[in-house]
Amino acid sequence: MEAFFYIVPSLMIAGLLFGVLNIVRRSRRVARAWGGGLTAEARCLRSYTTTSGGAGDTSVHTTLHHVYEFTTREGRTVRFEEENGPGTIIEGDIVVVHYAADHPEEATAKAPARGRLLAESGCLLFFLGAVIAFCVFFMVTAHWMFDESDGLLP
């Protein structure tokens, strides 16, 4: 029984740390593309949506995807996909993409907004950190309760 109070929060912490890693990777990728200083005109090749959720009482979440293609200054053709772009971009539209010379496949069609990126990432990291802290607090409290009651909860 005591293991339950350690295993479940530990699994939650592992999943939350994976989320933290993904947020940091995404933020660094976008910031690197904006900071790369290179831009190109890209054509939107495809626009589609994916949905998740909707089972039982859960709400449906829709994600908009765009597939872009552009040519770098060196003449290399690069195709990339980006989530959560503007809904006003449709197939055939030309957009400006930002990319770094050493990683053109990590380009972004999002306009530079470093403050917004920092705010979004910071808020998400703060929330995930608070949940991780709660899980640690829960495990410490459970450990203390089991020690006080000789393995039996009151």
Side-chain angles (χ1 to χ4, degrees):
M1 176 69 177
E2 183 177 354
F4 176 78
F5 291 100
Y6 298 113
I7 293 172
V8 172
S10 296
L11 290 174
M12 288 175 63
I13 289 172
L16 293 165
L17 288 174
F18 182 72
V20 166
L21 181 66
N22 283 335
I23 291 168
V24 171
R25 281 183 183 165
R26 179 187 62 99
S27 297
R28 290 189 63 190
R29 180 186 61 80
V30 172
R32 185 174 35 237
W34 288 339
L38 300 175
T39 60
E41 286 189 348
R43 177 176 301 277
C44 179
L45 301 177
R46 185 170 178 227
S47 177
Y48 66 96
T49 59
T50 57
T51 57
S52 60
D57 292 338
T58 63
S59 62
V60 175
H61 177 75
T62 303
T63 304
L64 179 62
H65 301 262
H66 291 98
V67 178
Y68 299 103
E69 186 175 80
F70 69 98
T71 304
T72 65
R73 292 185 181 179
E74 294 79 29
R76 178 178 163 204
T77 301
V78 177
R79 184 178 291 187
F80 71 98
E81 181 176 330
E82 188 168 55
E83 294 180 354
N84 298 321
T88 56
I89 296 175
I90 58 173
E91 286 183 31
D93 283 354
I94 303 293
V95 297
V96 174
V97 295
H98 301 267
Y99 68 98
D102 52 343
H103 294 289
E105 64 281 349
E106 294 181 352
T108 182
K110 296 177 181 176
R114 287 176 176 81
R116 180 177 177 176
L117 179 66
L118 181 64
E120 287 176 351
S121 300
C123 288
L124 285 170
L125 291 174
F126 178 78
F127 174 75
L128 294 178
V131 176
I132 290 170
F134 176 77
C135 289
V136 170
F137 171 77
F138 180 81
M139 289 191 304
V140 168
T141 304
H143 180 76
W144 176 76
M145 289 176 69
F146 275 106
D147 282 348
E148 292 292 318
S149 62
D150 295 326
L152 299 173
L153 287 175

